[in-house]
Amino acid sequence: MGESIVVNVDELWLRGKNRSLYFKALIKHVRETFWHYHGKDFSCQKEGNRILVTTKGSFKNDIYLALKRVPGVHSFFFAKVLPVEYDNIYPAVKELVSSLKEMPNNFKVKTVRSFKRFPKNSQEVSREIGERVLSDFPSLKAKMKNPELSIQINITEENIFVSVEKYFGMGGQPYGTTGHLITLLSGGFDSPVASYLMSKRGCHQTFIFFYSYPFVSEDVKDKILDLSSLLGRFQRETKLYVVPFGDMQKKISKSCRDEYRTLLFRKHMIECAGILAKKLNAEALCTGDSLAQVSSQTMGNISLIDSSSKLSIFRPLLGFNKSETISIANKIDTYSISERPHDDACSLFAPKHPIIKPDKKYWEDYEESVDYTEELESCLSNAEVYNISICGEVEKVEAL
Amino acid sequence: MIYLDNAASQRIRKKALEVLNTGLMMHFANPSASHKVGRKLLKEIEAHRIFFINSIKGLKKYNFIFTSSATESNNMSILGFEFKEGDVVYISKSEHPSLIAPLQKCEENGLVLKELPLNNSGGVDENKFFGTLDSKTCFVVLSHINNQSGVIQPINRISQRIKEINPKIKIHLDATQSFTKVPVSLENSLIDFMTISSHKLGGPKGIAGLFVRTGIKIFPLLFGGGQEKALRSSTQSYPLISSFRSAAEEGINEIDKSLNSVGKISLKVREYLKKEIPNILFPFHFEENVSPYILTFIIPGISSDIILRHMEQEDIIFSSTSACSSKVKGSNPVFEALGIEDKFHKNVLRVSFSNETTLSEVDSFCEELCKCYKELSYLLPKKK
């Protein structure tokens, strides 16, 4: 005996000549996921347009959740893998249905046949197998629309897959196939969700957190470590940079008009993230900004920040309402961490009336007269660096 | 490190540490054992018990139960007391959570909790309070010295008035911050329960006590071997008890000397800070009614958390509120009860001294705090 998991790949139809690269990346991630969540006893290979993972024993339960965190996985199902012969199908179906923990009330059989030379067509297979299920399991009734149990039969040239349950993955692009981002994390709700959305699009991300101790407490850093542990599970490997920023904020505050403090903190954070991007060959930055959510996220302020950045800034939440962000935060489990109260350094420094429509002239003059590149480099070289494994284990490592 | 958070916990006294070590190494037997070693330890525990009862002039009038913490002692008198439905208990919101939380638990069974009113200097508002006491009032909970304000309640006067109005009213006094710091006497038997704690007076953690007036019945919270006159089953820790006694004895012997030196220290800090920090406020300092061991002040405009973290970078440790309330976010009910305006709740700081605190330590503290204030003053709202 043994078990198999068949992984369906998302957005495959969008792929052209780079299909093999795409598969390679996904197989690598799937394989690593099984190593960590199952052990070494499995094989993983491309099987037509799917990925087939088999083990001689049985898969651990953790693998369900782990596969849901692999970008590029459209769906997966636990299946019996059979040689391509019609007579093999029903005994496997019978065994799977008998092993269900709770017997459902109704069912349907759905057959997909990519192997067109198979002696029976999809309808015939579904009908004949369905009839035998009805006779062997008299409590089950056939139901074509929204059945409680869906028996799936996939007939490919290489194998027949029989399964009774299907799980959906996060979809999107395989990890690492779309580029390297530096993602700015804060302890709030938005940036973790932004990171998740970029994971979904296949980005490799390095996280950066600007730590304003002694203006904020260590609780904020603990939150970031916990959030990074969750977000790191969407990648094969992740680095987090915790950059000491308290002194920098003090310096900036003293160098500018009060109402520009928050905006200038952001400008320098973006600059610092840009320096890290250059060191790590990352191609763009990512933030959790949502248009007009707070004063520093007005169109004018966002444009101004963009004008100071050499790299593109991805803002996947720009058009999100807060409720939409929160609903994803709930789905990816970051909500309960983000909701823990923490001090926000920006609000501690925030003037009563932060600037909403910035004066371009003042901004340009400031940029002309103040250059903190050296200080930012020094912040970065004093950063604490953490490695986050595919399982979310966080480990402090040597700095840059 | 300069440590000025002694109201939260104090370093163990040298002699008490020696006694503890000897106890752990040499006197480890179970005092309930019937062999001669156990019997000897039990006898000594009884002698220590008598010491504590004598120290408050309570011989024959009080029993004393060793517990594990002030929290346990506070819980014991409240949860162990047989309240009836509709009984009224008075307590101020400025009290420690270990008093408020068990009373709130009793509310589920019909106990009626009423606010004990304080005046704007942190003392009991006696006119207001005594007027509200009636035949339904069954229990009054008070701290001798409030851990935040340092205000010393005139316990004798208050308890006398309470008993005059209704002698059946029971009074629980939390003397955690006062025992060995200022004179505490229960000679007149007006107090029914009193809590003291070892680690607040230079003894080890894990040991405390509850005085219970003779004749008052309470129910135990722990059942088992029947130790502590069946009021608290658990193997008694001879090493902790003997070390607690040693620290308490030393503290009582030095009470005047310490009060004098801590008084000077507190005054020095107040004067220094008043001079250097123009808008500083001392909400509780009113002559002799405040313990010099606790000094609370407000620096408007700068978050106390930020100051504390800047100071901890310099290895100077103090706090903004009691350690048991330090995770409270937003408006703080203790500050509110003590009459601190809402707008200052994020700006409250507390330093607390011990007999070991030195003048040079508080000099460094004051210098660093003023330096920190100046450095952070750009955060103050600008005057227009």
Side-chain angles (χ1 to χ4, degrees):
Chain A
M1 279 302 286
E3 280 182 11
S4 298
I5 293 177
V6 180
V7 178
N8 293 320
V9 184
D10 199 25
E11 297 190 356
L12 196 63
W13 51 278
L14 291 171
R15 301 292 108 193
K17 283 180 184 164
N18 55 358
R19 205 177 252 215
S20 69
L21 271 176
Y22 191 86
F23 257 108
K24 220 170 149 184
L26 189 58
I27 286 179
K28 202 168 176 187
H29 199 173
V30 168
R31 192 171 279 150
E32 213 161 303
T33 302
F34 275 84
W35 270 339
H36 283 89
Y37 286 93
H38 172 72
K40 290 195 172 159
D41 158 38
F42 72 92
S43 74
C44 174
Q45 65 210 47
K46 185 169 173 282
E47 197 62 50
N49 286 332
R50 297 179 175 81
I51 296 169
L52 176 65
V53 191
T54 52
T55 180
K56 284 176 192 151
S58 54
F59 289 113
K60 291 184 180 153
N61 277 345
D62 290 354
I63 210 72
Y64 289 80
L65 289 172
L67 273 178
K68 282 171 181 264
R69 290 192 294 260
V70 176
V73 170
H74 170 272
S75 55
F76 56 96
F77 49 87
F78 288 73
K80 289 207 165 290
V81 185
L82 316 165
V84 190
E85 264 182 50
Y86 177 75
D87 286 348
N88 290 332
I89 298 176
Y90 186 69
V93 168
K94 191 174 176 185
E95 195 187 323
L96 280 172
V97 175
S98 307
S99 67
L100 286 172
K101 280 179 194 141
E102 242 177 84
M103 190 54 72
N105 294 312
N106 47 57
F107 79 104
K108 91 172 197 187
V109 181
K110 189 182 172 194
T111 306
V112 177
R113 186 190 53 139
S114 58
F115 178 39
K116 297 296 176 196
R117 284 179 288 119
F118 192 70
K120 290 179 193 279
N121 69 29
S122 302
Q123 268 187 335
E124 284 170 332
V125 175
S126 293
R127 196 181 57 242
E128 288 176 21
I129 297 295
E131 278 168 4
R132 294 184 68 178
V133 171
L134 278 171
S135 89
D136 280 352
F137 300 92
S139 69
L140 274 174
K141 293 197 167 51
K143 190 180 177 208
M144 293 303 111
K145 222 174 177 183
N146 298 325
E148 288 174 27
L149 170 69
S150 175
I151 298 167
Q152 293 176 67
I153 299 162
N154 285 281
I155 302 165
T156 69
E157 199 166 341
E158 297 85 6
N159 294 106
I160 295 174
F161 303 102
V162 177
S163 69
V164 291
E165 274 173 294
K166 183 176 177 183
Y167 303 90
F168 284 93
M170 68 190 276
Q173 306 275 319
Y175 164 73
T177 57
T178 56
H180 183 179
L181 274 182
I182 304 290
T183 299
L184 284 75
L185 285 186
S186 74
F189 292 105
D190 300 341
S191 54
V193 173
S195 163
Y196 162 75
L197 292 175
M198 288 297 94
S199 282
K200 202 150 64 76
R201 297 314 297 159
C203 298
H204 165 56
Q205 297 171 63
T206 296
F207 301 140
I208 188 167
F209 168 60
F210 295 94
Y211 182 34
S212 300
Y213 182 88
F215 294 98
V216 298
S217 72
E218 283 188 48
D219 297 351
V220 191
K221 193 170 94 180
D222 292 343
K223 275 181 87 170
I224 294 297
L225 295 178
D226 291 349
L227 285 169
S228 301
S229 160
L230 279 184
L231 297 169
R233 291 175 219 201
F234 295 107
Q235 311 202 96
R236 287 206 335 266
E237 52 186 356
T238 310
K239 272 200 162 58
L240 161 71
Y241 289 76
V242 176
V243 180
F245 213 61
D247 284 343
M248 200 63 223
Q249 285 187 297
K250 230 184 275 182
K251 249 185 210 139
I252 297 165
S253 297
K254 289 176 181 170
S255 73
C256 71
R257 281 171 26 196
D258 288 4
E259 66 270 31
Y260 281 84
R261 272 183 194 162
T262 317
L263 200 56
L264 283 164
F265 291 162
R266 294 178 76 86
K267 169 192 145 68
H268 288 99
M269 288 174 187
I270 291 288
E271 252 177 66
C272 191
I275 297 172
L276 180 64
K278 202 172 164 194
K279 285 188 203 296
L280 302 180
N281 290 323
E283 295 139 283
L285 312 179
C286 171
T287 72
D289 294 335
S290 160
L291 187 62
Q293 181 171 248
V294 291
S295 61
S296 61
Q297 293 169 13
T298 61
M299 201 178 288
N301 284 340
I302 285 179
S303 304
L304 216 48
I305 294 287
D306 277 359
S307 72
S308 304
S309 173
K310 288 179 189 141
L311 289 176
S312 293
I313 303 172
F314 290 4
R315 296 183 174 90
L317 305 185
L318 213 51
F320 272 45
N321 299 335
K322 196 72 179 181
S323 57
E324 291 168 311
T325 304
I326 296 279
S327 114
I328 296 179
N330 265 317
K331 195 175 94 181
I332 62 172
D333 295 333
T334 53
Y335 182 90
S336 59
I337 301 171
S338 295
E339 75 166 347
R340 276 161 25 195
H342 74 275
D343 310 308
D344 174 14
C346 286
S347 65
L348 288 172
F349 285 95
K352 269 197 173 154
H353 303 290
I355 198 78
I356 291 169
K357 286 185 181 165
D359 173 358
K360 234 178 165 184
K361 176 82 176 56
Y362 173 75
W363 186 263
E364 281 164 8
D365 286 351
Y366 183 93
E367 285 201 307
E368 195 100 321
S369 60
V370 180
D371 182 7
Y372 283 138
T373 313
E374 237 172 69
E375 285 85 345
L376 292 172
E377 297 221 6
S378 149
C379 287
L380 209 50
S381 60
N382 287 319
E384 287 176 12
V385 186
Y386 295 86
N387 265 351
I388 298 129
S389 76
I390 193 170
C391 309
E393 293 152 345
V394 180
E395 186 194 11
K396 197 168 171 185
V397 291
E398 283 298 307
L400 278 173
Chain B
M1 175 179 75
I2 296 175
Y3 180 81
L4 298 175
D5 194 21
N6 291 284
S9 195
Q10 185 182 333
R11 187 213 309 266
I12 191 166
R13 290 167 187 263
K14 280 197 184 91
K15 201 174 155 207
L17 178 62
E18 277 169 26
V19 173
L20 179 66
N21 282 334
T22 313
L24 290 167
M25 289 303 292
M26 311 292 291
H27 310 303
F28 48 82
N30 191 325
S32 301
S34 56
H35 48 63
K36 67 173 185 182
V37 188
R39 287 202 310 274
K40 185 172 176 279
L41 293 184
L42 191 63
K43 257 192 188 160
E44 287 196 30
I45 286 177
E46 291 315 310
H48 295 325
R49 197 187 310 282
I50 296 299
F51 160 80
F52 281 104
I53 295 173
N54 268 333
S55 75
I56 51 131
K57 300 190 176 77
L59 203 60
K60 293 195 177 149
K61 298 169 194 158
Y62 285 89
N63 183 15
F64 184 64
I65 303 155
F66 288 106
T67 63
S68 66
S69 64
T71 293
E72 187 190 333
S73 298
N74 286 340
N75 271 257
M76 191 171 183
S77 80
I78 292 166
L79 299 177
F81 191 77
E82 204 175 9
F83 288 111
K84 292 191 294 293
E85 209 180 322
D87 278 350
V88 174
V89 176
Y90 278 87
I91 183 168
S92 159
K93 286 201 178 90
S94 70
E95 294 299 350
H96 194 269
S98 64
L99 290 164
I100 296 177
L103 284 169
Q104 284 170 337
K105 184 81 195 144
C106 295
E107 267 186 311
E108 292 167 14
N109 299 325
L111 188 86
V112 181
L113 266 192
K114 287 195 178 169
E115 172 76 10
L116 192 152
L118 300 184
N119 56 34
N120 54 14
S121 46
V124 173
D125 189 333
E126 297 181 32
N127 289 340
K128 228 186 202 172
F129 174 52
F130 295 132
T132 58
L133 294 181
D134 59 22
S135 60
K136 282 199 170 164
T137 309
C138 126
F139 215 96
V140 174
V141 178
L142 271 173
S143 279
H144 193 188
I145 293 179
N146 181 276
N147 66 61
Q148 183 73 53
S149 66
V151 170
I152 307 172
Q153 301 296 353
I155 286 306
N156 275 338
R157 190 172 69 226
I158 294 174
S159 47
Q160 200 145 10
R161 277 298 303 279
I162 293 173
K163 297 280 177 169
E164 276 166 18
I165 293 168
N166 179 359
K168 284 186 182 161
I169 296 175
K170 302 289 177 286
I171 303 172
H172 175 105
L173 185 69
D174 186 341
T176 305
Q177 297 292 349
S178 63
F179 186 64
T180 76
K181 308 272 171 63
V182 298
V184 179
S185 163
L186 301 189
E187 199 176 4
N188 56 15
S189 297
L190 295 169
I191 302 294
D192 299 282
F193 304 99
M194 187 171 87
T195 292
I196 62 171
S197 171
S198 158
H199 75 108
K200 308 276 190 186
L201 54 84
K205 287 167 191 65
I207 185 80
L210 177 71
F211 292 95
V212 181
R213 193 164 62 78
T214 312
I216 293 186
K217 196 179 172 200
I218 54 167
F219 293 93
L221 304 182
L222 301 175
F223 298 87
Q227 290 89 343
E228 298 293 300
K229 297 182 181 159
L231 284 172
R232 187 185 187 274
S233 289
S234 279
T235 299
Q236 291 137 315
S237 170
Y238 176 81
L240 288 176
I241 290 172
S242 55
S243 178
F244 180 18
R245 182 243 168 101
S246 161
E249 192 165 17
E250 200 178 330
I252 289 168
N253 290 341
E254 293 174 355
I255 197 162
D256 292 333
K257 192 178 134 209
S258 303
L259 251 179
N260 189 26
S261 76
V262 172
K264 280 182 191 154
I265 280 169
S266 175
L267 187 66
K268 185 162 191 198
V269 173
R270 264 183 288 156
E271 285 181 346
Y272 192 116
L273 298 183
K274 233 186 239 171
K275 211 168 88 194
E276 297 295 325
I277 302 178
N279 56 348
I280 195 167
L281 302 168
F282 291 95
F284 305 116
H285 260 267
F286 298 94
E287 295 111 34
E288 71 277 12
N289 294 335
V290 175
S291 162
Y293 284 90
I294 292 171
L295 178 60
T296 288
F297 54 91
I298 293 168
I299 301 182
I302 305 177
S303 153
S304 50
D305 286 343
I306 294 181
I307 293 178
L308 290 171
R309 287 192 290 264
H310 272 82
M311 294 288 280
E312 81 180 13
Q313 283 186 309
E314 303 303 324
D315 246 0
I316 298 176
I317 305 300
F318 59 116
S319 64
S320 56
T321 181
S322 83
C324 296
S325 308
S326 65
K327 301 287 175 203
V328 174
K329 297 277 170 185
S331 173
N332 184 317
V334 171
F335 296 164
E336 204 179 315
L338 291 171
I340 298 175
E341 280 181 74
D342 246 29
K343 63 176 179 184
F344 294 137
H345 284 197
K346 296 275 178 218
N347 310 119
V348 179
L349 291 161
R350 179 188 77 176
V351 285
S352 47
F353 313 108
S354 81
N355 57 301
E356 288 186 357
T357 309
T358 63
L359 277 170
S360 87
E361 279 181 319
V362 297
D363 278 344
S364 307
F365 161 76
C366 288
E367 275 167 33
E368 277 303 331
L369 182 65
C370 293
K371 209 170 108 192
C372 173
Y373 170 77
K374 281 182 191 126
E375 204 183 301
L376 293 173
S377 54
Y378 66 91
L379 289 175
L380 293 168
K382 291 202 174 89
K383 281 177 192 150
K384 287 191 178 163

